[in-house]
Amino acid sequence: MKLHNWIAGKAAAPSAGEYLDNVDPKTGDVCGQIPRSNADDVNAAVAAAKAAPLLSVLERSELLTAVADALAARIPQLAELEALDTGKTLAATTAGDIPRAIDNLRYYAAAVRSDSTSCNQMEDGLNYTLRQPLGPVALITPWNFPLHLFTWKVAPAIAMGNAVVAKPSELTPSTATVCAEVFSEVGAPSGLLNVVHGLGHEAGAPLTVHPDIKAVSFTGGTVTGKAIAGVAAPLLKKVSLELGGKNPSVVFADCDLDAAAAGVARAAFFNTGQVCLCGSRLIVERCIHDEFVQRLQQQIERGDWTPGKSMGSLISWQHREKVASYVELAKEEGGTVVCGGNRVGPPKSAFFQPTILTGLPIDCRVATEEIFGPIVSVHPFDSEDEAIAMANFVEYGLASSVWTSDLTKAHRCAARIESGMVWINTWNKRDFRVPFGGMKQSGVGREGGRYSMEFFSQDRNVCIQL
Ligand code: TXE
């Protein structure tokens, strides 16, 4: 399968004629090729975006709904492509990733129709606010939820009247390409949604500094996010950064143990631990430490998180090497591998066992660096203050979960843990309307609901002398 860029409403080969291999992480085999685009391709895509006509609110809403309907008719195809690119199970992409990606389009198709601005009356004057598009925007997305994170940005950007140049991850290019084709199929004007494939430093970097790009919305690693902020901020582009996490699951002895064990395992191993929200540090009250670890282990043993069956692979064998190196590091740092810790499957595949580590100090590298794999380190605490201090120890601040039956304690913890999102007795429960984003090194800005709509627009006040 040879993919193409999508520029000005049609397929475009990369200007240099070069391609990159797309690799199936379940086998390590090459399964296709993607354009290796450069600044020339980016320039063509931005020029197409700049020339795209502005649609009315109703037209944008109807377009997003039509795209959602067309994608819904292709769920099996999209789910298969997503599973091929990412190594996820087909069950996960069919029931989770693709429907969720479609919901993003439906949500913003509806939300933009009820968007309103304020009117502020003075004794002798009247102010009203115009909400206007920014112009062409750059959307740079990662590989862990390819179509979901693509539409999570494309939908509000287009709903608010902007044309888009998107750079999906070079590791997961397929579903974004189909989505761009679908936009044209259902009648999107030429240039409204452009997709440029390629490597970050070759295709992503020129996009972030292009003079006609008014805003950059990025989801990915903290190192890349800082590099993008470093070049886009001095050009005074609007920048939204959703970055990494090293999130705590804080478990008190008074919690519902069954619910907490299931929730904490999900937080640790969902999507093979490749979610910025993943609870990769389990901070558990000392008196239930051993029992809780046992409960986690039981779920693994009974097959809830079996690589290749109930859990997909990692994104690549290279990433698996990185994840595996942290298990070796954990041993050097004094930790015990309670279970897992090994590569499984064919040599060039990316399967890795769900892994529980104990006995590690809270300040070691394994417990402070983002691993982005199915590894959870377990740390006992004796008091609420100690639990909070441990939760806040890392430089990240994206998400956390607190497990307790004491609601007062839960509220206290929610206000004290330094993270943009706190879940109480649940994990990754998502509502489109709520702010999504992180504190500290986890990013800048918020996405979701009106937050994304505000990011992808600019307000202009008009004041009339009465
Ligand atoms: O992501 P990158 P990588 C974390 C996770 C992972 C680490 C590195 O810890 O191990 O980041 O992953 C594009 N200018 N997350 O290297 O580099 C790139 O092509 C413009 C957390 O795969 O952040 C891709 O489209 N663009 C995360 C996108 O940025 C550039 C999800 C993300 O790639 C660029 C993924 C540049 N200079 C990884 N360099 C989350 N927050 O969920 C790269 N890109």
Side-chain angles (χ1 to χ4, degrees):
M1 199 169 51
K2 196 170 193 173
L3 295 182
H4 38 67
N5 290 327
W6 197 259
I7 298 177
K10 46 186 191 300
S15 58
E18 290 181 24
Y19 288 81
L20 301 161
D21 285 341
N22 188 17
V23 174
D24 173 358
K26 291 192 183 100
T27 60
D29 295 338
V30 173
C31 59
Q33 293 195 302
I34 72 162
R36 183 171 179 172
S37 309
N38 58 28
D40 291 338
D41 303 298
V42 167
N43 291 343
V46 177
K50 210 176 163 191
L54 178 63
L55 301 179
S56 72
V57 168
L58 191 58
E59 285 168 333
R60 291 176 228 155
S61 172
E62 286 176 346
L63 174 67
L64 293 175
T65 302
V67 173
D69 290 343
L71 293 178
R74 295 190 186 199
I75 287 178
Q77 178 206 0
L78 290 162
E80 209 160 299
L81 289 172
E82 203 78 311
L84 184 68
D85 277 359
T86 57
K88 297 179 198 229
T89 64
L90 191 58
T93 56
T94 305
D97 295 57
I98 305 302
R100 173 62 208 228
I102 294 168
D103 276 354
N104 290 336
L105 295 155
R106 295 202 195 285
Y107 173 81
Y108 284 104
V112 69
R113 292 177 77 157
S114 57
D115 189 33
S116 61
T117 55
S118 59
C119 172
N120 292 289
Q121 206 168 338
M122 303 162 74
E123 283 295 305
D124 56 352
L126 182 69
N127 296 278
Y128 64 91
T129 307
L130 298 174
R131 182 155 296 155
Q132 299 180 320
L134 298 171
V137 296
L139 311 182
I140 300 179
T141 45
W143 41 261
N144 51 347
F145 294 95
L147 189 63
H148 162 42
L149 291 176
F150 183 80
T151 60
W152 175 244
K153 294 182 192 295
V154 165
I158 288 183
M160 301 313 286
N162 307 283
V164 165
V165 180
K167 213 297 283 168
S169 168
E170 56 275 30
L171 301 176
T172 53
S174 304
T175 49
T177 309
V178 175
C179 188
E181 288 169 6
V182 164
F183 263 84
S184 293
E185 256 172 49
V186 303
S190 160
L192 185 67
L193 172 60
N194 306 276
V195 173
V196 179
H197 291 294
L199 299 172
H201 63 284
E202 293 177 352
L207 185 56
T208 57
V209 294
H210 195 292
D212 289 330
I213 288 292
K214 303 301 177 199
V216 181
S217 177
F218 171 79
T219 299
T222 294
V223 173
T224 307
K226 283 183 180 175
I228 289 175
V231 294
L235 298 171
L236 299 183
K237 296 182 191 303
K238 250 179 146 174
V239 180
S240 164
L241 302 170
E242 297 300 335
L243 310 178
K246 188 74 182 176
N247 311 294
S249 302
V250 181
V251 178
F252 289 93
D254 61 10
C255 71
D256 172 339
L257 279 177
D258 287 336
V264 166
R266 213 175 134 252
F269 306 131
F270 177 67
N271 210 44
T272 323
Q274 301 167 117
V275 192
C276 51
L277 309 168
C278 261
S280 48
R281 296 183 301 143
L282 164 57
I283 296 170
V284 58
E285 199 156 354
R286 193 178 300 278
C287 57
I288 58 162
H289 175 279
D290 293 354
E291 184 190 346
F292 203 81
V293 168
Q294 232 170 39
R295 282 172 178 260
L296 291 182
Q297 206 176 340
Q298 278 161 6
Q299 294 176 62
I300 293 170
E301 282 164 3
R302 73 171 185 225
D304 291 7
W305 304 100
T306 303
K309 292 188 178 143
S310 43
M311 187 172 80
S313 73
L314 291 163
I315 187 64
S316 64
W317 69 265
Q318 293 92 333
H319 185 54
R320 179 169 77 168
E321 291 313 297
K322 175 187 157 185
V323 170
S325 75
Y326 275 97
V327 175
E328 292 314 307
L329 181 62
K331 292 175 193 162
E332 287 165 29
E333 291 183 322
T336 301
V337 181
V338 175
C339 68
N342 296 308
R343 304 165 181 85
V344 282
K348 288 285 177 187
S349 75
F351 290 105
F352 198 81
Q353 293 175 324
T355 303
I356 303 173
L357 304 172
T358 56
L360 285 164
I362 197 75
D363 61 349
C364 70
R365 281 186 55 202
V366 170
T368 53
E369 296 177 11
E370 187 177 43
I371 300 172
F372 230 54
I375 297 184
V376 61
S377 60
V378 190
H379 309 272
F381 70 83
D382 293 301
S383 68
E384 188 180 319
D385 281 349
E386 193 190 2
I388 300 290
M390 290 164 87
N392 290 344
F393 187 80
V394 291
E395 55 181 19
Y396 294 105
L398 188 58
S400 56
S401 66
V402 178
W403 302 84
T404 175
S405 54
D406 178 343
L407 264 189
T408 308
K409 191 197 285 177
H411 288 302
R412 266 198 315 264
C413 291
R416 292 177 72 197
I417 296 178
E418 293 162 355
S419 67
M421 290 161 273
V422 185
W423 284 289
I424 310 286
N425 295 328
T426 183
W427 176 78
N428 200 11
K429 203 175 190 61
R430 299 280 306 279
D431 184 307
F432 282 102
R433 295 162 295 184
V434 307
F436 181 99
M439 299 174 174
K440 296 155 81 176
Q441 299 288 301
S442 291
V444 177
R446 293 292 180 269
E447 294 187 301
R450 69 178 172 83
Y451 302 91
S452 291
M453 293 165 76
E454 282 169 10
F455 177 77
F456 287 116
S457 60
Q458 52 195 341
D459 284 355
R460 174 193 302 224
N461 190 65
V462 180
C463 179
I464 306 166
Q465 173 68 41
L466 294 182

